[in-house]
CSV table of all heavy atoms in Angstrom, one decimal:
chain,number,residue,atom,x,y,z
S,15,MET,N,9.6,-15.9,-18.7
S,15,MET,CA,10.9,-16.2,-18.2
S,15,MET,C,10.9,-16.1,-16.7
S,15,MET,O,10.0,-15.7,-16.1
S,15,MET,CB,11.9,-15.1,-18.8
S,15,MET,CG,11.6,-13.7,-18.3
S,15,MET,SD,12.6,-12.4,-19.1
S,15,MET,CE,14.2,-12.7,-18.4
S,16,GLU,N,12.0,-16.6,-16.1
S,16,GLU,CA,12.1,-16.7,-14.7
S,16,GLU,C,13.5,-16.4,-14.3
S,16,GLU,O,14.5,-16.8,-14.9
S,16,GLU,CB,11.7,-18.1,-14.2
S,16,GLU,CG,11.9,-18.4,-12.7
S,16,GLU,CD,11.5,-19.8,-12.3
S,16,GLU,OE1,10.4,-20.2,-12.7
S,16,GLU,OE2,12.3,-20.5,-11.7
S,17,ILE,N,13.6,-15.5,-13.2
S,17,ILE,CA,14.9,-15.2,-12.7
S,17,ILE,C,14.9,-15.4,-11.2
S,17,ILE,O,13.9,-15.1,-10.5
S,17,ILE,CB,15.3,-13.7,-13.0
S,17,ILE,CG1,15.2,-13.3,-14.4
S,17,ILE,CG2,16.7,-13.4,-12.4
S,17,ILE,CD1,15.5,-11.9,-14.7
S,18,THR,N,16.0,-16.1,-10.7
S,18,THR,CA,16.1,-16.3,-9.3
S,18,THR,C,17.2,-15.5,-8.7
S,18,THR,O,18.3,-15.6,-9.3
S,18,THR,CB,16.3,-17.8,-9.0
S,18,THR,OG1,15.2,-18.5,-9.6
S,18,THR,CG2,16.3,-18.1,-7.5
S,19,TYR,N,17.0,-14.9,-7.6
S,19,TYR,CA,18.0,-14.1,-6.9
S,19,TYR,C,18.2,-14.7,-5.5
S,19,TYR,O,17.3,-15.2,-4.9
S,19,TYR,CB,17.6,-12.7,-6.7
S,19,TYR,CG,17.5,-11.9,-8.0
S,19,TYR,CD1,16.2,-11.7,-8.6
S,19,TYR,CD2,18.6,-11.4,-8.7
S,19,TYR,CE1,16.1,-11.1,-9.8
S,19,TYR,CE2,18.4,-10.7,-9.9
S,19,TYR,CZ,17.2,-10.6,-10.4
S,19,TYR,OH,17.0,-9.9,-11.6
S,20,THR,N,19.5,-14.7,-5.0
S,20,THR,CA,19.7,-15.0,-3.7
S,20,THR,C,19.8,-13.7,-2.9
S,20,THR,O,20.7,-12.8,-3.2
S,20,THR,CB,21.1,-15.8,-3.5
S,20,THR,OG1,21.0,-17.0,-4.3
S,20,THR,CG2,21.3,-16.1,-2.1
S,21,VAL,N,18.9,-13.5,-2.0
S,21,VAL,CA,18.8,-12.2,-1.2
S,21,VAL,C,19.1,-12.4,0.3
S,21,VAL,O,18.3,-13.1,0.9
S,21,VAL,CB,17.4,-11.6,-1.4
S,21,VAL,CG1,17.4,-10.3,-0.7
S,21,VAL,CG2,17.2,-11.4,-2.9
S,22,SER,N,20.3,-11.9,0.7
S,22,SER,CA,20.6,-12.1,2.1
S,22,SER,C,19.8,-11.1,3.0
S,22,SER,O,19.4,-10.1,2.5
S,22,SER,CB,22.1,-11.9,2.3
S,22,SER,OG,22.5,-10.6,1.9
S,23,GLY,N,19.7,-11.4,4.2
S,23,GLY,CA,19.1,-10.5,5.2
S,23,GLY,C,17.6,-10.7,5.4
S,23,GLY,O,17.1,-10.1,6.3
S,24,MET,N,17.0,-11.5,4.6
S,24,MET,CA,15.6,-11.7,4.8
S,24,MET,C,15.4,-12.7,6.0
S,24,MET,O,16.0,-13.8,6.0
S,24,MET,CB,14.9,-12.4,3.6
S,24,MET,CG,14.9,-11.5,2.4
S,24,MET,SD,13.8,-12.1,1.1
S,24,MET,CE,14.6,-13.7,0.7
S,25,SER,N,14.7,-12.3,7.0
S,25,SER,CA,14.6,-13.2,8.2
S,25,SER,C,13.2,-13.5,8.7
S,25,SER,O,13.1,-14.3,9.7
S,25,SER,CB,15.5,-12.5,9.3
S,25,SER,OG,15.0,-11.3,9.6
S,26,CYS,N,12.2,-12.9,8.2
S,26,CYS,CA,10.9,-13.1,8.7
S,26,CYS,C,9.8,-12.8,7.7
S,26,CYS,O,10.2,-12.4,6.5
S,26,CYS,CB,10.6,-12.3,10.0
S,26,CYS,SG,10.5,-10.5,9.6
S,27,GLY,N,8.6,-12.9,8.0
S,27,GLY,CA,7.5,-12.7,7.1
S,27,GLY,C,7.4,-11.3,6.6
S,27,GLY,O,7.0,-11.0,5.5
S,28,HIS,N,7.9,-10.3,7.5
S,28,HIS,CA,7.9,-8.9,7.1
S,28,HIS,C,8.9,-8.7,5.9
S,28,HIS,O,8.6,-8.0,5.0
S,28,HIS,CB,8.2,-8.0,8.2
S,28,HIS,CG,8.4,-6.6,7.8
S,28,HIS,ND1,7.4,-5.8,7.6
S,28,HIS,CD2,9.5,-5.9,7.6
S,28,HIS,CE1,7.9,-4.6,7.3
S,28,HIS,NE2,9.2,-4.6,7.3
S,29,CYS,N,10.0,-9.3,6.0
S,29,CYS,CA,11.1,-9.2,5.0
S,29,CYS,C,10.5,-9.8,3.7
S,29,CYS,O,10.7,-9.2,2.6
S,29,CYS,CB,12.3,-10.0,5.4
S,29,CYS,SG,13.1,-9.5,6.9
S,30,LYS,N,9.9,-11.0,3.8
S,30,LYS,CA,9.3,-11.6,2.6
S,30,LYS,C,8.3,-10.7,1.9
S,30,LYS,O,8.3,-10.5,0.7
S,30,LYS,CB,8.7,-12.9,3.1
S,30,LYS,CG,7.8,-13.6,2.0
S,30,LYS,CD,7.2,-14.8,2.6
S,30,LYS,CE,6.0,-15.4,1.8
S,30,LYS,NZ,6.5,-16.0,0.5
S,31,ALA,N,7.4,-10.1,2.7
S,31,ALA,CA,6.4,-9.2,2.2
S,31,ALA,C,7.0,-8.0,1.6
S,31,ALA,O,6.5,-7.5,0.5
S,31,ALA,CB,5.4,-8.9,3.3
S,32,ALA,N,8.0,-7.4,2.2
S,32,ALA,CA,8.6,-6.2,1.7
S,32,ALA,C,9.2,-6.4,0.3
S,32,ALA,O,9.1,-5.6,-0.6
S,32,ALA,CB,9.6,-5.7,2.7
S,33,VAL,N,10.0,-7.5,0.2
S,33,VAL,CA,10.6,-7.9,-1.0
S,33,VAL,C,9.6,-8.1,-2.1
S,33,VAL,O,9.7,-7.6,-3.2
S,33,VAL,CB,11.6,-9.1,-0.9
S,33,VAL,CG1,12.1,-9.6,-2.2
S,33,VAL,CG2,12.7,-8.7,0.0
S,34,GLU,N,8.6,-8.9,-1.8
S,34,GLU,CA,7.6,-9.3,-2.8
S,34,GLU,C,6.8,-8.1,-3.2
S,34,GLU,O,6.4,-7.9,-4.4
S,34,GLU,CB,6.6,-10.4,-2.2
S,34,GLU,CG,7.3,-11.7,-2.0
S,34,GLU,CD,6.4,-12.8,-1.4
S,34,GLU,OE1,5.4,-12.4,-0.9
S,34,GLU,OE2,6.8,-14.0,-1.5
S,35,SER,N,6.5,-7.2,-2.3
S,35,SER,CA,5.8,-5.9,-2.6
S,35,SER,C,6.6,-5.1,-3.6
S,35,SER,O,6.0,-4.6,-4.6
S,35,SER,CB,5.5,-5.2,-1.4
S,35,SER,OG,4.9,-3.9,-1.7
S,36,GLU,N,7.8,-4.8,-3.3
S,36,GLU,CA,8.6,-4.0,-4.2
S,36,GLU,C,8.9,-4.6,-5.5
S,36,GLU,O,8.7,-4.0,-6.6
S,36,GLU,CB,10.0,-3.7,-3.5
S,36,GLU,CG,9.9,-2.7,-2.4
S,36,GLU,CD,9.6,-1.2,-2.8
S,36,GLU,OE1,9.8,-0.9,-4.0
S,36,GLU,OE2,9.1,-0.5,-2.0
S,37,VAL,N,9.3,-5.9,-5.5
S,37,VAL,CA,9.5,-6.5,-6.8
S,37,VAL,C,8.3,-6.7,-7.6
S,37,VAL,O,8.3,-6.6,-8.9
S,37,VAL,CB,10.2,-7.9,-6.6
S,37,VAL,CG1,10.3,-8.7,-7.8
S,37,VAL,CG2,11.6,-7.7,-5.9
S,38,GLY,N,7.2,-6.9,-7.0
S,38,GLY,CA,5.9,-7.0,-7.7
S,38,GLY,C,5.5,-5.8,-8.4
S,38,GLY,O,4.6,-5.8,-9.3
S,39,GLN,N,6.1,-4.6,-8.1
S,39,GLN,CA,5.7,-3.4,-8.8
S,39,GLN,C,6.6,-3.1,-10.0
S,39,GLN,O,6.3,-2.2,-10.8
S,39,GLN,CB,5.9,-2.2,-7.8
S,39,GLN,CG,4.9,-2.2,-6.7
S,39,GLN,CD,5.2,-1.1,-5.7
S,39,GLN,OE1,5.5,0.0,-6.0
S,39,GLN,NE2,5.2,-1.5,-4.4
S,40,VAL,N,7.6,-4.0,-10.3
S,40,VAL,CA,8.4,-3.8,-11.4
S,40,VAL,C,7.6,-4.3,-12.7
S,40,VAL,O,7.0,-5.3,-12.7
S,40,VAL,CB,9.7,-4.7,-11.3
S,40,VAL,CG1,10.6,-4.6,-12.6
S,40,VAL,CG2,10.5,-4.2,-10.1
S,41,PRO,N,7.7,-3.4,-13.7
S,41,PRO,CA,7.0,-3.8,-15.0
S,41,PRO,C,7.3,-5.2,-15.5
S,41,PRO,O,8.5,-5.5,-15.5
S,41,PRO,CB,7.4,-2.7,-16.0
S,41,PRO,CG,7.8,-1.5,-15.1
S,41,PRO,CD,8.4,-2.1,-13.8
S,42,GLY,N,6.3,-5.9,-15.9
S,42,GLY,CA,6.6,-7.2,-16.5
S,42,GLY,C,6.5,-8.4,-15.5
S,42,GLY,O,6.4,-9.5,-15.9
S,43,VAL,N,6.6,-8.1,-14.2
S,43,VAL,CA,6.5,-9.1,-13.2
S,43,VAL,C,5.1,-9.7,-13.1
S,43,VAL,O,4.2,-8.9,-12.9
S,43,VAL,CB,7.0,-8.6,-11.8
S,43,VAL,CG1,6.8,-9.7,-10.8
S,43,VAL,CG2,8.5,-8.2,-11.9
S,44,GLU,N,5.0,-11.0,-13.2
S,44,GLU,CA,3.7,-11.6,-13.1
S,44,GLU,C,3.5,-12.3,-11.7
S,44,GLU,O,2.5,-12.3,-11.2
S,44,GLU,CB,3.5,-12.7,-14.2
S,44,GLU,CG,3.3,-12.0,-15.6
S,44,GLU,CD,3.4,-13.0,-16.7
S,44,GLU,OE1,3.6,-14.2,-16.5
S,44,GLU,OE2,3.3,-12.5,-17.9
S,45,SER,N,4.6,-12.8,-11.2
S,45,SER,CA,4.6,-13.3,-9.8
S,45,SER,C,6.0,-13.3,-9.2
S,45,SER,O,7.0,-13.3,-9.9
S,45,SER,CB,4.1,-14.8,-9.9
S,45,SER,OG,5.1,-15.6,-10.4
S,46,VAL,N,6.0,-13.1,-7.9
S,46,VAL,CA,7.3,-13.1,-7.2
S,46,VAL,C,7.1,-13.9,-5.9
S,46,VAL,O,6.1,-13.7,-5.2
S,46,VAL,CB,7.8,-11.7,-6.9
S,46,VAL,CG1,6.7,-10.8,-6.3
S,46,VAL,CG2,9.0,-11.7,-6.0
S,47,SER,N,8.0,-14.8,-5.6
S,47,SER,CA,7.9,-15.6,-4.4
S,47,SER,C,9.3,-15.5,-3.7
S,47,SER,O,10.3,-16.0,-4.2
S,47,SER,CB,7.6,-17.0,-4.7
S,47,SER,OG,7.6,-17.8,-3.6
S,48,ALA,N,9.3,-15.0,-2.5
S,48,ALA,CA,10.5,-14.9,-1.6
S,48,ALA,C,10.4,-16.0,-0.6
S,48,ALA,O,9.4,-16.1,0.1
S,48,ALA,CB,10.6,-13.5,-1.0
S,49,ASP,N,11.5,-16.7,-0.4
S,49,ASP,CA,11.6,-17.7,0.7
S,49,ASP,C,12.6,-17.4,1.7
S,49,ASP,O,13.8,-17.3,1.3
S,49,ASP,CB,11.9,-19.1,0.0
S,49,ASP,CG,11.8,-20.2,1.1
S,49,ASP,OD1,10.7,-20.6,1.3
S,49,ASP,OD2,12.8,-20.6,1.6
S,50,VAL,N,12.2,-17.1,2.9
S,50,VAL,CA,13.1,-16.7,3.9
S,50,VAL,C,14.1,-17.7,4.3
S,50,VAL,O,15.3,-17.4,4.5
S,50,VAL,CB,12.3,-16.3,5.2
S,50,VAL,CG1,13.2,-16.1,6.4
S,50,VAL,CG2,11.4,-15.1,5.0
S,51,ASP,N,13.8,-19.0,4.3
S,51,ASP,CA,14.7,-20.0,4.7
S,51,ASP,C,15.8,-20.2,3.7
S,51,ASP,O,17.0,-20.3,4.0
S,51,ASP,CB,14.0,-21.3,4.9
S,51,ASP,CG,13.0,-21.3,6.1
S,51,ASP,OD1,13.4,-20.6,7.1
S,51,ASP,OD2,11.9,-21.9,6.1
S,52,SER,N,15.4,-20.3,2.4
S,52,SER,CA,16.4,-20.5,1.3
S,52,SER,C,17.1,-19.2,0.8
S,52,SER,O,18.1,-19.3,0.1
S,52,SER,CB,15.8,-21.3,0.2
S,52,SER,OG,14.8,-20.4,-0.5
S,53,LYS,N,16.5,-18.1,1.2
S,53,LYS,CA,17.0,-16.8,0.8
S,53,LYS,C,16.8,-16.6,-0.7
S,53,LYS,O,17.4,-15.7,-1.3
S,53,LYS,CB,18.5,-16.6,1.1
S,53,LYS,CG,18.8,-16.8,2.5
S,53,LYS,CD,18.1,-15.9,3.5
S,53,LYS,CE,18.6,-16.2,4.9
S,53,LYS,NZ,17.6,-15.6,5.9
S,54,LEU,N,15.9,-17.4,-1.3
S,54,LEU,CA,15.7,-17.3,-2.8
S,54,LEU,C,14.5,-16.5,-3.1
S,54,LEU,O,13.5,-16.6,-2.4
S,54,LEU,CB,15.6,-18.7,-3.4
S,54,LEU,CG,16.8,-19.6,-3.3
S,54,LEU,CD1,16.6,-20.9,-4.0
S,54,LEU,CD2,18.0,-18.9,-3.9
S,55,VAL,N,14.6,-15.6,-4.1
S,55,VAL,CA,13.5,-14.8,-4.6
S,55,VAL,C,13.3,-15.2,-6.1
S,55,VAL,O,14.2,-15.0,-6.9
S,55,VAL,CB,13.8,-13.3,-4.5
S,55,VAL,CG1,12.6,-12.5,-5.1
S,55,VAL,CG2,13.9,-12.9,-3.0
S,56,VAL,N,12.2,-15.8,-6.3
S,56,VAL,CA,11.9,-16.3,-7.7
S,56,VAL,C,10.9,-15.3,-8.4
S,56,VAL,O,9.8,-15.1,-7.8
S,56,VAL,CB,11.3,-17.7,-7.7
S,56,VAL,CG1,11.0,-18.2,-9.1
S,56,VAL,CG2,12.3,-18.7,-7.0
S,57,VAL,N,11.4,-14.8,-9.5
S,57,VAL,CA,10.5,-13.8,-10.2
S,57,VAL,C,10.2,-14.4,-11.6
S,57,VAL,O,11.0,-14.9,-12.3
S,57,VAL,CB,11.3,-12.5,-10.4
S,57,VAL,CG1,10.4,-11.4,-11.0
S,57,VAL,CG2,11.9,-12.0,-9.1
S,58,ARG,N,8.9,-14.3,-11.9
S,58,ARG,CA,8.4,-14.8,-13.1
S,58,ARG,C,7.7,-13.7,-13.9
S,58,ARG,O,7.0,-12.9,-13.2
S,58,ARG,CB,7.4,-16.0,-13.0
S,58,ARG,CG,8.1,-17.2,-12.4
S,58,ARG,CD,7.2,-18.4,-12.5
S,58,ARG,NE,7.8,-19.6,-11.9
S,58,ARG,CZ,7.8,-19.9,-10.6
S,58,ARG,NH1,7.1,-19.0,-9.7
S,58,ARG,NH2,8.4,-20.9,-10.1
S,59,GLY,N,7.8,-13.6,-15.2
S,59,GLY,CA,7.2,-12.6,-15.9
S,59,GLY,C,7.7,-12.5,-17.4
S,59,GLY,O,8.5,-13.4,-17.8
S,60,GLU,N,7.3,-11.5,-18.1
S,60,GLU,CA,7.8,-11.3,-19.4
S,60,GLU,C,8.6,-10.0,-19.5
S,60,GLU,O,8.3,-9.0,-18.9
S,60,GLU,CB,6.6,-11.2,-20.4
S,60,GLU,CG,5.8,-12.5,-20.5
S,60,GLU,CD,6.7,-13.7,-21.0
S,60,GLU,OE1,7.6,-13.4,-21.9
S,60,GLU,OE2,6.4,-14.8,-20.6
S,61,GLY,N,9.7,-10.1,-20.3
S,61,GLY,CA,10.6,-8.9,-20.5
S,61,GLY,C,11.1,-8.4,-19.2
S,61,GLY,O,11.3,-7.1,-19.0
S,62,LEU,N,11.5,-9.2,-18.3
S,62,LEU,CA,12.0,-8.8,-17.0
S,62,LEU,C,13.4,-8.1,-17.2
S,62,LEU,O,14.2,-8.5,-17.9
S,62,LEU,CB,12.2,-10.0,-16.1
S,62,LEU,CG,10.9,-10.8,-15.7
S,62,LEU,CD1,11.2,-12.0,-14.9
S,62,LEU,CD2,9.9,-9.8,-15.0
S,63,ASP,N,13.5,-7.0,-16.4
S,63,ASP,CA,14.8,-6.2,-16.5
S,63,ASP,C,15.6,-6.5,-15.2
S,63,ASP,O,15.2,-6.1,-14.1
S,63,ASP,CB,14.4,-4.7,-16.6
S,63,ASP,CG,15.6,-3.9,-16.6
S,63,ASP,OD1,16.7,-4.3,-17.1
S,63,ASP,OD2,15.6,-2.7,-16.2
S,64,ASP,N,16.7,-7.1,-15.4
S,64,ASP,CA,17.5,-7.5,-14.2
S,64,ASP,C,17.9,-6.3,-13.4
S,64,ASP,O,17.9,-6.3,-12.1
S,64,ASP,CB,18.8,-8.2,-14.7
S,64,ASP,CG,19.8,-8.5,-13.6
S,64,ASP,OD1,19.4,-9.3,-12.7
S,64,ASP,OD2,20.9,-8.0,-13.6
S,65,THR,N,18.3,-5.2,-14.0
S,65,THR,CA,18.6,-3.9,-13.3
S,65,THR,C,17.5,-3.4,-12.5
S,65,THR,O,17.7,-3.0,-11.3
S,65,THR,CB,19.1,-2.9,-14.3
S,65,THR,OG1,20.2,-3.4,-15.1
S,65,THR,CG2,19.6,-1.6,-13.5
S,66,ALA,N,16.3,-3.4,-13.0
S,66,ALA,CA,15.1,-2.9,-12.3
S,66,ALA,C,14.7,-3.8,-11.2
S,66,ALA,O,14.4,-3.3,-10.1
S,66,ALA,CB,13.9,-2.8,-13.3
S,67,LEU,N,14.9,-5.1,-11.4
S,67,LEU,CA,14.6,-6.1,-10.3
S,67,LEU,C,15.6,-5.9,-9.1
S,67,LEU,O,15.2,-5.9,-8.0
S,67,LEU,CB,14.6,-7.5,-10.8
S,67,LEU,CG,13.5,-7.8,-11.8
S,67,LEU,CD1,13.8,-9.2,-12.5
S,67,LEU,CD2,12.1,-7.8,-11.2
S,68,ARG,N,16.8,-5.8,-9.5
S,68,ARG,CA,17.8,-5.6,-8.4
S,68,ARG,C,17.6,-4.3,-7.7
S,68,ARG,O,17.8,-4.2,-6.4
S,68,ARG,CB,19.3,-5.6,-9.0
S,68,ARG,CG,19.7,-7.0,-9.4
S,68,ARG,CD,21.1,-7.0,-10.1
S,68,ARG,NE,21.4,-8.4,-10.5
S,68,ARG,CZ,22.0,-9.2,-9.6
S,68,ARG,NH1,22.3,-8.9,-8.4
S,68,ARG,NH2,22.3,-10.4,-10.0
S,69,ALA,N,17.2,-3.2,-8.4
S,69,ALA,CA,16.9,-1.9,-7.8
S,69,ALA,C,15.7,-2.0,-6.8
S,69,ALA,O,15.7,-1.4,-5.7
S,69,ALA,CB,16.6,-0.9,-8.9
S,70,ALA,N,14.7,-2.8,-7.2
S,70,ALA,CA,13.5,-3.0,-6.3
S,70,ALA,C,13.9,-3.8,-5.1
S,70,ALA,O,13.5,-3.4,-4.0
S,70,ALA,CB,12.5,-3.8,-7.1
S,71,ILE,N,14.8,-4.8,-5.2
S,71,ILE,CA,15.2,-5.5,-4.0
S,71,ILE,C,16.0,-4.6,-3.1
S,71,ILE,O,15.8,-4.6,-1.9
S,71,ILE,CB,16.1,-6.7,-4.4
S,71,ILE,CG1,15.2,-7.7,-5.1
S,71,ILE,CG2,16.8,-7.3,-3.2
S,71,ILE,CD1,16.0,-8.9,-5.8
S,72,ASP,N,16.8,-3.7,-3.7
S,72,ASP,CA,17.6,-2.7,-2.9
S,72,ASP,C,16.7,-1.7,-2.2
S,72,ASP,O,16.8,-1.4,-1.1
S,72,ASP,CB,18.5,-2.0,-3.9
S,72,ASP,CG,19.4,-1.0,-3.1
S,72,ASP,OD1,20.3,-1.4,-2.5
S,72,ASP,OD2,19.1,0.2,-3.2
S,73,GLU,N,15.6,-1.3,-3.0
S,73,GLU,CA,14.6,-0.4,-2.5
S,73,GLU,C,13.9,-0.9,-1.2
S,73,GLU,O,13.6,-0.2,-0.3
S,73,GLU,CB,13.6,0.0,-3.6
S,73,GLU,CG,12.6,1.0,-3.2
S,73,GLU,CD,13.2,2.4,-3.1
S,73,GLU,OE1,14.3,2.7,-3.7
S,73,GLU,OE2,12.6,3.2,-2.3
S,74,ALA,N,13.7,-2.3,-1.2
S,74,ALA,CA,13.1,-2.9,-0.1
S,74,ALA,C,14.0,-3.0,1.1
S,74,ALA,O,13.5,-3.3,2.2
S,74,ALA,CB,12.6,-4.3,-0.5
S,75,GLY,N,15.3,-2.8,0.9
S,75,GLY,CA,16.2,-2.8,2.0
S,75,GLY,C,17.1,-4.0,2.0
S,75,GLY,O,17.8,-4.3,3.0
S,76,TYR,N,17.1,-4.7,0.9
S,76,TYR,CA,17.9,-6.0,0.9
S,76,TYR,C,18.9,-5.9,-0.3
S,76,TYR,O,18.8,-5.0,-1.2
S,76,TYR,CB,17.0,-7.2,0.8
S,76,TYR,CG,16.1,-7.2,2.0
S,76,TYR,CD1,14.8,-6.6,1.9
S,76,TYR,CD2,16.4,-7.6,3.2
S,76,TYR,CE1,13.9,-6.5,2.9
S,76,TYR,CE2,15.6,-7.5,4.3
S,76,TYR,CZ,14.3,-7.0,4.2
S,76,TYR,OH,13.5,-6.9,5.2
S,77,GLU,N,19.7,-6.9,-0.4
S,77,GLU,CA,20.7,-6.9,-1.5
S,77,GLU,C,20.7,-8.3,-2.2
S,77,GLU,O,20.8,-9.3,-1.6
S,77,GLU,CB,22.1,-6.6,-1.0
S,77,GLU,CG,23.1,-6.4,-2.1
S,77,GLU,CD,24.5,-5.9,-1.6
S,77,GLU,OE1,24.6,-5.7,-0.4
S,77,GLU,OE2,25.4,-5.8,-2.4
S,78,ALA,N,20.6,-8.2,-3.5
S,78,ALA,CA,20.6,-9.4,-4.3
S,78,ALA,C,22.1,-9.8,-4.6
S,78,ALA,O,22.9,-8.9,-5.0
S,78,ALA,CB,19.9,-9.3,-5.6
S,79,ALA,N,22.5,-11.0,-4.3
S,79,ALA,CA,23.9,-11.5,-4.6
S,79,ALA,C,24.1,-11.6,-6.1
S,79,ALA,O,23.2,-11.7,-6.9
S,79,ALA,CB,24.1,-12.8,-3.9
F,7,CU,CU1,12.0,-9.5,8.6
C-alpha cells in the first residue's frame, strides 16, 4: 500500500532527511520519500498505520495536513 501526505514546513535537505528518518522507523514502512518542493511525503509498505505515520511526522517537527 501507499499513503501520501502533504507536509508543510519542509524547506531543505535537512527537513527531508528528518522526516524520512522518523517515518522510516515506523513498523511496516518499506520506503519513504519526502519532496521539499512539492511538500509531498510518499510512504510505501505493508499494514501502514496512519496514526503512527502522522505521529512520526510530528515527532520530526512537521505537520501532516
Ligand atoms: Cu530544512
Side-chain angles (χ1 to χ4, degrees):
M15 63 187 293
E16 177 178 304
I17 304 179
T18 301
Y19 296 98
T20 299
V21 179
S22 60
M24 296 192 299
S25 58
C26 70
H28 172 78
C29 302
K30 170 183 166 71
V33 170
E34 290 179 344
S35 174
E36 285 290 341
V37 173
Q39 292 174 44
V40 175
V43 174
E44 291 168 1
S45 74
V46 50
S47 177
D49 186 83
V50 170
D51 294 325
S52 66
K53 309 299 183 197
L54 297 180
V55 176
V56 179
V57 186
R58 294 187 183 86
E60 293 301 325
L62 297 177
D63 178 31
D64 177 63
T65 302
L67 292 170
R68 288 178 180 275
I71 292 169
D72 183 75
E73 184 70 25
Y76 304 93
E77 188 173 357

